[in-house]
Amino acid sequence: MQVLPTPLTARRNGPLNGRARVPGDKSISIRALILGALAVGATRIGGMLEGEDALNTANALQALGARVRRTGEQEWLIHGVGIGGFAEPAIALDFGNSGTGCRLALGAVAGCPITATFDGDASLRSRPMRRVLDPLERIGARTLASADGRLPLTLAGARDPVPVVFEPPVPSAQLKSATLLAGLAAPGETVVIETEPTRDHTERMLAHFGADVRVEPDGADGKGRRIALTGQPELTPRPVVVPADPSSAAFPLVAALLVPGSDIILEGVMMNPLRTGLIATLGEMGASIERLDQRDEGGEAVADLRVRAGTLRGIEVPAARAPAMIDEYPVLAVAAAFAEGTTVMRGLKELRVKESDRLAATLALLRANAVAADIEGDDLIVHGRGRASGGGMVRTHMDHRIAMAALVLGLASERPVQIDDGSFIATSFPGFVELMRSLGADLS
Ligand code: S3P
């Protein structure tokens, strides 16, 4: 995506009111595209995220021989080529800002006897890929060229993939998913052992498409997971209904908690327990978040969330919760600034390798707006005062979640908050500004 930087300003206005539905889940949209490309025949996706990350993934899959077509609003149809059926792309695959699209596609390509070059924008080029190349090389893929385990890199997929047992060195759904997707092409059983469970959308969707996936508790305390996939299944196209993304819902949700008098409903938000860490944490801080009409949609639990403004108190957020809310820390830090007392968020090392060094960017966001905060080791500490003066200019570092978190701060602070560039918001949350305005927010 090559667009001019779009500065934005958020100002305090009246309360937020009304109903809204945030776009489809990014993780599920990307997985649906990739599994659709690996199935034989046509997969329909409804409610798809039409954000840059999903669109770049769709383009890459087209270059690999799948046919991807938009058939209506958020309705997509993908004709897959089958496991091992990708064609060698004539061009480098450009994933833009999307770490998930890139890493999962690396896994899918690793099991095919083709060579492909993977690339992305400056943010994605700075992110570590060695961690995902390690299991893929054990399966039989070869990294032909890469600067220091970063993009651009060229991967030669395995001619004779072998199944592996892999224990990711960090809790990462992307590493788990890439390994399982490569394992689809290997005969026998590919096993991923997680000491800390991460989002399980890949396992669920593989089963939905007919693969044999068994998930069992693992480790002495039973808190880990052992995921075993039987290789070389025939993936059968199945419709996918994408629920609203809880990581996107987080922004209007926190805004409604902080702007006095607000009362909003966010419709159809996915409530997969491996994604609801933020809601649990805000609940402990005293937030009023009601789950209405809890139901199942497309194999995932969803609910309408009624969110009302109120006072929050500082708490300690344990490191063990990080995988269930890894993308939500910037906006949680904003909520913590408006809480009474200190919030300590532990174990945030992985935030350093997100779309930006999100730990440093979150600290800078807070400090630019006169919020007292520190990093100690891998912990973020925010001293909340029940209010924030704002008035800052926040550098977003090509990071959509830093951009949206800063704007949420500006909606509730005494003085407006500016960001240098809102264009990256479109990676995960197209229509963010319009949706927030429809609830009454002043964004310009
Ligand atoms: C994602 C996993 C997380 C998350 C990212 C989406 C996924 O990354 O930060 O936005 O869809 O698997 P890690 O798996 O690297 O923690």
Side-chain angles (χ1 to χ4, degrees), residues 25-28 30-31 99-100 103-104 127 131 170-177 198-199 201-202 247 275 323 326-327 350 353-355 358 400-401:
D25 187 70
K26 178 157 74 74
S27 296
I28 292 190
I30 289 172
R31 284 160 173 79
T100 306
R103 295 202 178 108
L104 269 56
R127 299 179 66 185
R131 47 171 61 189
V170 289
S172 165
Q174 295 180 2
L175 291 196
K176 166 176 67 178
S177 301
T198 62
R199 64 191 72 193
H201 309 306
T202 302
S247 299
R275 298 287 300 279
I326 193 65
D327 292 334
E350 274 299 296
V353 291
K354 294 298 177 186
E355 285 80 333
R358 230 175 231 171
H400 53 133
R401 301 204 200 277

Side-chain angles (χ1 to χ4, degrees), residues 53-77:
D53 281 11
L55 300 179
N56 283 323
T57 305
N59 285 338
L61 294 168
Q62 292 243 66
L64 289 164
R67 277 191 294 133
V68 187
R69 199 154 56 84
R70 186 177 193 265
T71 53
E73 206 176 320
Q74 294 159 18
E75 299 277 333
W76 289 67
L77 188 65

